[in-house]
Amino acid sequence: MKRDGHTHTEFCPHGKVEDTELLIKRAISLGFKEYSITEHAPLPKGIEKKAAGDLDVWTTASMAINDVDNYFKRMNELRKKYASDIIIHIGFELDYFSDFVGWTRDFLAEYGPQTDDGILSVHFLEGQDGLRGIDYSFEEYKSGVIDYLGSFQKAQNLYYQCVLDSLEADLGPFKPKRLGHISLCQKFERFFDEETSYSSENKILVHTLLSRIQQEKYSLDLNTAGFYKQGYQQSYPQVWITQKAIESGIPLVYGSDTHALNDVGQGYDKIQHWL
């Protein structure tokens, strides 16, 4: 069954997301039978104390907490309206922050019962002056994380440690069971003059992560947005990780990571042989 497991909505403050109804109609026209709406969950209360770098990284990262009820209302209306054409799932793309596990668990306890799908992602790492965004811009990632830690591969290592921590974290019964774009740390790799391949240590870390994903019966977001990023131009995760995931029996779920109408179904033909 043709499924998109990672999409965004007009509640997302970054990108140029049209009305979700238009996205759903487009998905139906492309033959999708399942469609997961996974808007960025609100950032934890108090995150501003640790937020550093470009202010836009934080003001555009997620929907506001006071939008959540309207988000569910609107998406449930669309789920009912198009029930005869497509199965619509509703949930969040949830950011993992090690210092805000309690807040995240409480948020999921409150809103999780209204969800039936979700993604757990890492978009921020400890860097200069606090938490820094890793996918906002090359400059932000380089100055805030890479230069601070000392090398691209050190940032790579920290990223995969955080992804592994997110998998192990106790976020309660409504914790998402799919990890989002697990090679996001590579998004700007083509722009760096230094070594950006995986060190032997980091390859071992990735294998450990995949082993734990398999043991915990999680799935992976096979995200095609990376094909359209100038600094990356491949899937998240890239082929060698995808192949290892398949060998390990880890389910892969196509994700367009739609942030605009033209993104719906993007790259599906590039990865469908993996599904």
Side-chain angles (χ1 to χ4, degrees):
M1 183 180 289
K2 197 172 179 182
R3 173 187 180 188
D4 191 340
H6 188 159
T7 72
H8 294 278
T9 73
E10 65 270 25
F11 288 89
C12 180
H14 59 264
K16 298 179 180 178
V17 190
E18 292 89 347
D19 189 301
T20 303
E21 186 165 8
L22 297 176
L23 309 184
I24 291 170
K25 287 181 176 180
R26 175 69 174 155
I28 293 168
S29 74
L30 292 174
F32 283 90
K33 300 301 182 183
E34 288 192 55
Y35 189 86
S36 292
I37 300 169
T38 53
E39 193 49 81
H40 293 283
L43 297 177
K45 183 179 180 181
I47 196 78
E48 64 278 359
K49 296 175 183 177
K50 296 211 66 178
D54 192 323
L55 183 61
D56 283 349
V57 174
W58 300 96
T59 57
T60 64
S62 70
M63 78 167 98
I65 191 71
N66 58 6
D67 279 338
V68 174
D69 289 336
N70 289 330
Y71 167 69
F72 279 114
K73 180 182 178 183
R74 175 60 177 156
M75 301 311 141
N76 277 301
E77 288 171 350
L78 294 172
R79 174 153 61 186
K80 292 176 183 177
K81 183 173 182 177
Y82 292 96
S84 62
D85 301 303
I86 194 168
I87 298 168
I88 294 176
H89 304 285
I90 303 169
F92 297 108
E93 181 177 12
L94 184 76
D95 262 291
Y96 172 73
F97 297 98
S98 60
D99 289 342
F100 295 92
V101 167
W103 185 94
T104 305
R105 189 188 302 116
D106 290 345
F107 174 83
L108 288 174
E110 182 173 358
Y111 293 105
Q114 298 182 64
T115 68
D116 65 337
D117 198 11
I119 298 168
L120 184 62
S121 297
V122 173
H123 295 95
F124 304 92
L125 292 177
E126 288 284 351
Q128 186 174 13
D129 300 323
L131 288 167
R132 304 295 292 260
I134 69 169
D135 69 330
Y136 179 77
S137 69
F138 165 71
E139 293 78 11
E140 179 72 16
Y141 188 38
K142 182 180 185 303
S143 64
V145 179
I146 306 296
D147 292 349
Y148 175 78
L149 293 176
S151 75
F152 189 96
Q153 290 183 334
K154 287 181 179 178
Q156 191 181 67
N157 184 270
L158 179 59
Y159 172 79
Y160 280 103
Q161 291 284 359
C162 287
V163 175
L164 182 58
D165 288 349
S166 76
L167 177 68
E168 305 287 4
D170 178 9
L171 299 179
F174 298 104
K175 178 184 178 182
K177 298 297 189 290
R178 182 161 67 258
L179 299 185
H181 41 56
I182 65 161
S183 57
L184 189 65
C185 63
Q186 303 295 120
K187 180 176 178 178
F188 303 109
E189 63 180 21
R190 289 170 175 254
F191 297 154
F192 284 89
D193 294 328
E194 64 178 282
E195 185 60 63
T196 60
S197 63
Y198 286 69
S199 67
S200 56
E201 178 187 358
N202 291 343
K203 284 182 180 179
I204 292 171
L205 183 54
V206 170
H207 289 159
T208 299
L209 172 64
L210 293 175
S211 177
R212 291 295 295 132
I213 291 170
Q214 189 272 333
Q215 291 167 6
E216 294 297 321
K217 296 181 168 53
Y218 273 51
S219 61
L220 279 181
D221 175 35
L222 184 51
N223 189 305
T224 55
F227 285 113
Y228 309 97
K229 306 302 181 185
Q230 187 179 358
Y232 186 64
Q233 299 176 24
Q234 54 190 315
S235 60
Y236 302 119
Q238 54 276 79
V239 168
W240 74 269
I241 296 179
T242 300
Q243 288 177 324
K244 182 66 178 176
I246 289 172
E247 292 169 8
S248 301
I250 296 169
L252 303 173
V253 179
Y254 162 71
S256 65
D257 211 343
T258 288
H259 282 79
L261 182 60
N262 289 338
D263 295 345
V264 177
Q266 66 177 351
Y268 185 83
D269 58 324
K270 297 177 185 290
I271 56 85
Q272 65 181 111
H273 61 287
W274 295 116
L275 302 175

